Amino acid sequence: MWGEKKTKIVATLSDFRANEEFVRGLFEAGMDVVRINSAHVTEEGAAKIVEAVRRVNPAIPVILDTKGPEIRVTAVADEYGGAIGFQTGERVKVRGTADGEPSTRDTIYFNVATVVRDIAVGARLLIADGELELRVTDKTDEELMCEFVRGGTLRSRKSVNVPGMKIDLPSVTEKDRRFIEWAVKNDVDFIAHSFVRSAGDVHAVQEILDRYDSPIKIISKIENQQGIDNLDEIVEASYGVMVARGDLGVELPAEAIPNAQRRIVERCIAAKRPVIIATQMLYSMVRSPRPTRAEVSDVASAIYERVDAVMLSDETAMGDYPVEAVSTMSRVAREIEKDETHFTPMIDMNMVSVNHEITAQLARSAVRASTNLPIRYVVLDTATGRTGRYLAAFRGRCQVLAVCYTRHAQRILALSYGVVPILREQQSHERYQDRYHFVIDALDFIQRKHAIEPTDLLAVVGGSFDSKYGASYLEISSAERFRERDAVCDGC
């Protein structure tokens, strides 16, 4: 229901259940954004998801995750029946291959040909999210000699993490490139690029988008130590950031994750970038209709950190209780956001300087005014979504209504904290310089959803000049006065 929560919910969809009825159920339960994981879907399957989403509501944004540059074990040789058991203390060789040579009991192959060159003696090799752990005891130019620190069952194509080692991997794989090009053609709104290590990885994706003159925004997934080390430059290069705690939890000790998460969130808010917390937030609800108390606390902690969005993965992609998971997350968000002693506007936070600083200052002033005056709504119009994103960064108490002139601007703002984006399709005879018609659109929208009194105050952030100059004024007045002014303008 509109206006009930400020924290947005991202839900991952899989193609086997991407029908209109299912998507509508998630949307009505509180889902704001749809995520598609290209690691687990074909282009045809992804298209099926997008089509279902657009039929339910064309304003729902879609995020496409790339698989990203990663190391994986090759397929286990057929003679082992798909799995090899290793004992702690057992020794094995590790090699890289570009030809997909199968892994055996004697030699485990990784899918990166140059991997041996970049891994030092003493390094830890974590396979299948750390279920198996090897330590490198010696190496030659062609192979690593390793010992199992933690044994287990090795299966085909499992992920490999090498904490503390910088592995030379491409920024964009060929599969990623194909999916990014598919996203451009299929009206996707965000690319969430996996395993971002530096701004260079973001620029590599942007180069592809620029080639097609695409407005798609890039969300960088922070899931390794290099990403944390280069956080500032990554945030600067990205539209937003996702804290992907799955692989991050393999690379970092478990006790280091909360501090890393908090640091990333604070940096993103200061830079006015949307930030998403992801991975196993309500994981028990894959099989249970009720979450654990620890999971509820995890979701609550993220909301207390003032994130823009929290995300569901397996819970909605393959779980038995997807609608219940979204509904649970939505209820937690609404309940936590009632704590007004904690959810004070962040108007005194040291925001990072931006190119359009006037817009940022007007956004800050609008939020500050809403703390001192009984303002019901902050209203703006936006061609690019920038002003809405800046207002979201100050985390005001008032609902922000962003009147957008393009569907894309409407969708990207659906990811931002506390922003309700609505679409105004401008007629050719209307002048963009008309300063007040968008306010009337917002008032009409509010009236359809909630009662609004003529004396209720609005804080309106708008621009008197071309959209490239951003916001240029802040005006505070009652709803009735804005309507009266619109009537006068119509009679001019």
Side-chain angles (χ1 to χ4, degrees):
M1 186 68 70
W2 174 78
E4 288 189 348
K5 62 178 175 61
K6 294 184 175 69
T7 308
K8 306 302 178 70
I9 295 175
V10 181
T12 306
L13 268 62
S14 55
D15 55 343
F16 80 92
R17 63 182 2 167
N19 57 72
E20 190 173 340
E21 181 182 3
F22 178 73
V23 175
R24 181 171 287 106
L26 297 180
F27 182 61
E28 292 176 351
M31 175 189 74
D32 300 283
V33 183
V34 165
R35 169 181 174 258
I36 302 172
N37 189 351
S38 70
H40 302 296
V41 71
T42 64
E43 291 179 14
E44 293 76 15
K48 180 181 175 183
I49 296 171
V50 173
E51 289 167 6
V53 171
R54 297 293 179 244
R55 285 196 300 270
V56 171
N57 191 327
I60 300 173
V62 174
I63 298 174
L64 177 75
D65 268 37
T66 62
K67 191 174 182 180
E70 60 180 350
I71 308 172
R72 286 188 176 270
V73 173
T74 62
V76 170
D78 293 341
E79 63 200 77
Y80 297 99
I84 307 173
F86 288 98
Q87 300 296 319
T88 298
E90 196 168 343
R91 295 180 178 273
V92 68
K93 291 178 287 187
V94 169
R95 286 175 172 255
T97 176
D99 302 321
E101 193 163 347
S103 294
T104 66
R105 176 170 293 282
D106 179 65
T107 305
I108 298 174
Y109 285 92
F110 292 168
N111 66 338
V112 178
T114 58
V115 70
V116 170
R117 180 193 64 196
D118 298 326
I119 297 177
V121 173
R124 298 162 62 223
L125 311 181
L126 305 176
I127 300 175
D129 294 337
E131 289 182 17
L132 296 85
E133 180 178 344
L134 299 92
R135 181 174 59 87
V136 179
T137 58
D138 202 356
K139 68 178 289 186
T140 67
D141 290 342
E142 292 80 26
E143 62 187 22
L144 306 171
M145 277 64 80
C146 303
E147 179 181 344
F148 274 93
V149 176
R150 181 166 53 251
T153 301
L154 179 72
R155 293 184 171 83
S156 299
R157 300 182 181 87
K158 290 298 182 180
S159 63
V160 178
N161 292 82
V162 191
M165 296 286 110
K166 295 183 178 180
I167 312 298
D168 184 16
L169 297 172
S171 294
V172 178
T173 67
E174 185 54 36
K175 180 178 181 180
D176 291 340
R177 184 181 304 277
R178 291 197 307 271
F179 259 105
I180 292 169
E181 291 172 348
W182 174 91
V184 171
K185 297 173 184 175
N186 285 269
D187 200 23
V188 167
D189 305 287
F190 300 98
I191 296 290
H193 193 41
S194 297
F195 300 102
V196 171
R197 299 156 295 180
S198 68
D201 291 341
V202 184
H203 295 152
V205 177
Q206 190 63 57
E207 286 175 8
I208 301 173
L209 297 175
D210 289 346
R211 197 175 307 147
Y212 294 93
D213 195 25
S214 171
I216 291 176
K217 304 301 183 185
I218 301 171
I219 297 172
S220 292
K221 295 175 66 177
I222 305 297
E223 43 195 333
N224 52 37
Q225 185 62 55
Q226 280 182 269
I228 291 177
D229 293 342
N230 297 318
L231 180 63
D232 287 350
E233 68 176 62
I234 291 171
V235 170
E236 181 66 26
S238 309
Y239 178 85
V241 166
M242 181 187 297
V243 186
R245 302 180 303 178
D247 279 277
L248 193 60
V250 178
E251 290 256 337
L252 272 63
E255 63 273 15
I257 298 297
N259 278 338
Q261 174 176 312
R262 184 178 296 274
R263 176 189 165 199
I264 295 169
V265 170
E266 290 176 351
R267 181 66 183 82
C268 287
I269 294 174
K272 308 175 189 67
R273 304 297 200 268
V275 57
I276 307 166
I277 301 298
T279 314
Q280 296 183 336
M281 301 211 79
L282 296 176
Y283 190 69
S284 69
M285 293 193 75
V286 171
R287 297 289 174 258
S288 169
R290 292 172 58 84
T292 66
R293 296 179 183 86
E295 288 168 340
V296 171
S297 294
D298 183 37
V299 174
S301 294
I303 294 169
Y304 273 122
E305 288 178 12
R306 316 297 292 275
V307 301
D308 288 86
V310 285
M311 194 176 97
L312 296 166
S313 299
D314 289 349
E315 299 93 333
T316 50
M318 55 172 283
D320 294 336
Y321 302 94
V323 175
E324 291 85 349
V326 174
S327 180
T328 296
M329 189 168 267
S330 187
R331 290 197 308 273
V332 173
R334 292 196 302 269
E335 185 64 30
I336 298 303
E337 289 170 3
K338 290 178 184 177
D339 183 3
E340 293 192 358
T341 60
H342 179 83
F343 287 90
T344 55
M346 303 173 74
I347 48 180
D348 295 321
M349 186 174 183
N350 182 24
M351 294 286 177
V352 177
S353 179
V354 292
N355 293 331
H356 300 274
E357 195 61 24
I358 293 174
T359 299
Q361 292 300 331
L362 286 169
R364 187 199 299 265
S365 297
V367 174
R368 188 185 299 277
S370 69
T371 66
N372 299 322
L373 294 169
I375 292 171
R376 286 288 304 278
Y377 299 98
V378 177
V379 179
L380 67 132
D381 71 333
T382 179
T384 64
R386 182 179 62 241
T387 306
R389 180 161 52 91
Y390 286 7
L391 277 161
F394 293 108
R395 302 301 195 253
R397 287 200 179 106
C398 291
Q399 205 83 44
V400 175
L401 271 79
V403 180
C404 306
Y405 295 92
T406 66
R407 183 69 77 183
H408 179 67
Q410 182 188 25
R411 288 177 186 158
I412 63 173
L413 279 178
L415 183 63
S416 292
Y417 181 91
V419 177
V420 177
I422 60 179
L423 180 65
R424 182 180 198 229
E425 296 183 5
Q426 216 174 356
Q427 301 300 314
S428 59
H429 66 273
E430 291 179 347
R431 294 181 305 165
Y432 185 82
Q433 290 86 351
D434 185 337
R435 289 173 52 164
Y436 299 107
H437 272 83
F438 78 89
V439 183
I440 305 307
D441 285 349
L443 286 170
D444 291 343
F445 179 84
I446 297 168
Q447 196 67 57
R448 292 195 298 271
K449 304 292 182 179
H450 294 280
I452 184 168
E453 298 299 325
T455 55
D456 284 341
L457 291 182
L458 305 178
V460 174
V461 179
S464 299
F465 308 103
D466 190 84
S467 61
K468 67 182 179 181
Y469 296 109
S472 60
Y473 71 86
L474 165 65
E475 186 165 350
I476 300 171
S477 191
S478 66
E480 63 181 347
R481 286 183 179 175
F482 280 112
R483 286 198 182 277
E484 288 170 359
R485 179 172 289 168
D486 179 66
V488 170
C489 290
D490 280 345
C492 293

